[in-house]
Amino acid sequence: MADQNYRMVDVGGKAITRRRAVATGRIVVGPEVMAHLREGELPKGDPLRLAEVAAILAAKRTPDLLPLCHPLMLDHVGLICRLNEADQAVDVFATVVTSARTGVEMEALAAVNAALLTIWDLSKPIEAALAIGGVKLLLKEGGKSGRWEHPDGLADLPAELAA
């Protein structure tokens, strides 16, 4: 096997533009946890509110987790948690915005994963059979390539994130 030469990409020659990324994921929690989530209360506290904090912290700390990720000043990190009663799940959407030379896709994905893990952590005293899935980048904007949307479409994207 050839030697691996890892390197951080030089973005110094790229233009500073407004960049945005939206990612999503889901945690299946079951009926008992769903009932507690509707009330906003579990033994450890409200997981949806704490998931927002976890998402913000994860987005800000992404370069500490991913070795080749550029540290960025973030303009905004937002999280929407939507209860999906039919599937007994919580759908999570994270949006991250910056004005920089590189995008914030990894920050949005880190935010979603941290939010999902936080919901898991606070829900596990009620239900151990939880499942995380469907984590993906839905869209990214800015830079030379402009807007990119996931090939599966944006049908589930909350209206406030579509603009």
Side-chain angles (χ1 to χ4, degrees), residues 11-149:
V11 296
K14 295 171 88 178
I16 295 174
T17 62
R18 182 179 187 277
R19 296 162 185 266
R20 179 173 79 122
V22 178
T24 191
R26 146 182 290 208
I27 181 166
V28 178
V29 297
E32 191 172 357
V33 171
M34 184 60 70
H36 285 280
L37 290 172
R38 275 193 306 274
E39 300 300 318
E41 190 174 311
L42 282 163
K44 289 182 167 184
D46 183 353
L48 304 183
R49 300 298 297 160
L50 193 57
E52 291 179 48
V53 175
I56 293 167
L57 291 173
K60 290 168 58 173
R61 302 295 301 262
T62 301
D64 294 337
L65 302 171
L66 302 174
L68 302 178
C69 194
H70 290 82
L72 298 173
M73 293 296 296
L74 303 180
D75 297 332
H76 172 75
V77 178
L79 188 78
I80 295 173
C81 295
R82 189 166 61 193
L83 298 182
N84 184 322
E85 300 275 349
D87 295 339
Q88 299 295 301
V90 180
D91 295 315
V92 172
F93 300 87
T95 183
V96 180
V97 179
T98 190
S99 295
R101 290 181 167 91
T102 188
V104 285
E105 299 91 345
M106 294 298 102
E107 288 77 4
L109 289 162
V112 162
N113 280 290
L116 292 168
L117 289 170
T118 298
I119 295 168
W120 185 307
D121 184 42
L122 274 69
S123 300
K124 69 184 179 187
I126 303 296
E127 176 60 64
L130 304 165
I132 290 174
V135 175
K136 62 184 176 183
L137 183 68
L138 288 176
L139 71 89
K140 65 177 188 158
E141 298 173 315
K144 186 170 61 172
S145 59
R147 182 177 171 109
W148 174 90
E149 296 180 4

